Amino acid sequence: MTQTLQLDGATRVLAIVGDPIAQVKSPAGVSASLQQQGRNAILVPSHVSPANLDAYVKGISLAGNLDGIIVTVPHKFAMFAQCSSTSDRARRLGAVNVMRRNADGSWHGDMCDGAGYVAAMREAGCQPEGKRALLVGAGGAGSAIALALLENGVSELAIHDADTSRRDQLIARLSAGFPGQLRIGSNDPSGFAIAINASPTGMQASDPLPIDASKLDGTMFVGDVITAPAVTPLIESARALGCQTVVGGDMFAAVRELMLDFLLAQGPLAR
């Protein structure tokens, strides 16, 4: 039986903000999950450009029934500055992907992408401890995944990003806590047990493969953060070789649970 969506003047509102936003699948799933738990709440997508982000946050924060914001590309670093308090991992990365109201109406942020991705990896049979990992992409999701891989015991992490400044900043930021474990990588996965694409390369059919698939072998674990298409050409190539894989949908299912736990921890949604 299809559940009727509850939507009335008492509905609590969450927003998901990004640019673009049409690709996100979370509004329906998160709204359904909240209402199945008996909470009168919905998640609404907001398409906001970087130039308008500050004005958007100032305006939407005036809504008394707005309890949280989920943050997607490209705003995870910029939204960190909108938070008056954050979790330790968000502070370490300078990025957030979810925000909830403090008692005074300000925002408290967290970054769940990395923990969610490693949870999805473990669910798929990959144990990162002691393994060498290649990560392509040093943006918001990539930064969080890098930290989570290191916290979960990879022996070495190589990071590759076309934006070399962003790559170098991430390596420098994380090296303080994990000395000697990080280095500059490339798109060549040779010698790595784990290869993950955390860049947007692969969203368009014309995109090149973010990782050189000719250098993959069936013993490797290959992941991608992209949710549309559901199975990227990189993952198709990896599966053809017999690799264990995680797709963006697997990651988001795990991240969604962590974000909901965070959003429901306090405030009107917790009741």
Side-chain angles (χ1 to χ4, degrees):
M1 181 182 297
T2 302
Q3 179 179 349
T4 301
L5 179 70
Q6 183 176 4
L7 182 61
D8 53 37
T11 299
R12 309 303 300 182
V13 178
L14 303 171
I16 179 168
V17 58
D19 181 24
I21 199 66
Q23 80 283 359
V24 299
K25 304 295 193 296
S26 53
V30 171
S31 297
S33 179
L34 289 166
Q35 301 220 351
Q36 285 166 8
Q37 297 176 46
R39 292 179 170 87
N40 182 5
I42 60 168
L43 176 64
V44 179
S46 296
H47 184 188
V48 182
S49 70
N52 292 323
L53 188 63
D54 286 351
Y56 167 81
V57 175
K58 289 176 183 176
I60 200 171
S61 295
L62 298 175
N65 64 335
L66 179 77
D67 296 324
I69 302 174
I70 294 174
V71 186
T72 188
V73 176
H75 300 316
K76 295 178 183 182
F77 291 105
M79 288 294 265
F80 177 84
Q82 302 288 343
C83 297
S84 64
S85 60
T86 66
S87 66
D88 289 342
R89 61 189 172 191
R91 191 176 309 110
R92 192 167 192 171
L93 295 166
V96 298
N97 75 332
V98 62
M99 300 156 59
R100 70 174 182 234
R101 292 278 200 178
N102 289 315
D104 63 0
S106 63
W107 293 104
H108 177 71
D110 194 9
M111 171 53 89
C112 305
D113 284 345
Y117 202 89
V118 171
M121 290 171 61
R122 291 190 185 280
E123 182 69 21
C126 177
Q127 308 304 320
E129 289 84 359
K131 294 183 171 66
R132 300 179 69 231
L134 169 66
L135 177 69
V136 175
S143 297
I145 292 169
L147 176 59
L149 287 171
L150 292 163
E151 290 179 332
N152 281 269
V154 296
S155 60
E156 178 183 311
L157 178 62
I159 299 176
H160 172 64
D161 196 298
D163 185 335
T164 58
S165 176
R166 183 166 67 176
R167 174 203 67 197
D168 293 346
Q169 288 174 18
L170 178 59
I171 289 174
R173 182 187 293 267
L174 296 179
S175 290
F178 302 91
Q181 291 181 249
L182 291 114
R183 68 176 180 85
I184 294 171
S186 70
N187 70 340
D188 183 350
S190 300
F192 293 96
I194 299 169
I196 298 171
N197 174 45
S199 79
T201 304
M203 292 180 67
Q204 306 298 324
S206 59
D207 286 347
L209 291 182
I211 295 171
D212 186 349
S214 70
K215 302 295 180 62
L216 295 173
D217 68 62
T219 68
M220 296 175 179
F221 182 89
V222 181
D224 207 326
V225 303
I226 291 171
T227 57
V231 179
T232 62
L234 172 64
I235 297 298
E236 289 179 346
S237 298
R239 288 179 175 176
L241 294 169
C243 299
Q244 291 180 304
T245 62
V246 158
V247 298
D250 298 326
M251 169 193 171
F252 188 76
V255 172
R256 182 177 66 188
E257 294 308 309
L258 294 174
M259 290 192 300
L260 283 172
D261 288 346
F262 174 82
L263 290 166
L264 298 176
Q266 65 180 50
L269 286 177
R271 296 191 284 272

